[in-house]
């Protein structure tokens, strides 16, 4: 993958800001009430012996995983990342927890910005010749 050149369209900047804000909010909310986060994780994976440390590790891993498609889209203009975000975002919205409404609104805004014409042009752009691999003679 090569770095995308040129300025990012507004739709891509909106996506990046909203997606990052949603990820940060989830991390802060989870770390703010570790007991609740631990209980939620224990409800989803009761076979695992959850404690505060594993809860923090899991919340940090979720945050880091959220950053991966953000980097793919913002830095590399990777089209497959758009569909990955849209697919997982739709799943998240389908199983919406009312307590996470603010994060869901941000995810919805991020997803909508990926479907704009400006975002489509961003993903469809052709890399410049100088973006190619260096030739050594």
């Amino acid at each position: 993958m090569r770095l995308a050149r040129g300025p990012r369209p507004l739709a891509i900047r909106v996506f990046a800001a909203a997606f990052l804000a949603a990820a940060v909010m989830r991390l802060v909310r989870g770390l703010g009430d570790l007991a609740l986060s631990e209980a939620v994780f224990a409800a989803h994976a009761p076979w695992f012996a959850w404690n505060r440390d594993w809860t923090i590790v899991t919340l940090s891993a979720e945050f880091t995983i959220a950053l991966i498609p953000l980097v793919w889209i913002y830095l590399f203009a990777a089209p497959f990342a758009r569909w990955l975000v849209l697919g997982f975002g739709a799943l998240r919205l389908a199983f919406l927890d009312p307590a996470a409404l603010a994060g869901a609104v941000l995810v919805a805004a991020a997803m909508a910005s990926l479907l704009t014409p400006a975002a489509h042009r961003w993903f469809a752009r052709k890399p410049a010749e100088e973006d190619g691999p260096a030739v050594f003679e």
Side-chain angles (χ1 to χ4, degrees), residues 54-89:
W54 283 114
T55 302
I56 292 169
V57 168
T58 303
L59 289 167
S60 299
E62 285 180 344
F63 178 71
T64 303
I65 290 167
L67 295 180
I68 293 169
L70 177 68
V71 168
W72 283 341
I73 289 171
Y74 193 79
L75 293 181
F76 301 110
F80 69 89
R82 170 175 39 178
W83 299 110
L84 182 76
V85 168
L86 290 170
F88 281 108

Side-chain angles (χ1 to χ4, degrees), residues 38-47 50:
E38 185 178 338
V40 168
F41 289 143
H44 287 94
W47 58 88
W50 289 97

Side-chain angles (χ1 to χ4, degrees), residues 1 5-6 11 13 22-23 27 33-34 36-37 39-42 57 60 62-63 67 70 72 97 110 114 132-133:
M1 261 190 241
R5 301 238 180 206
R13 289 181 289 168
L27 177 65
D33 191 351
L34 281 174
L36 176 61
S37 296
V40 168
F41 289 143
V57 168
S60 299
E62 285 180 344
F63 178 71
L67 295 180
L70 177 68
W72 283 341
D97 174 8
L114 289 178

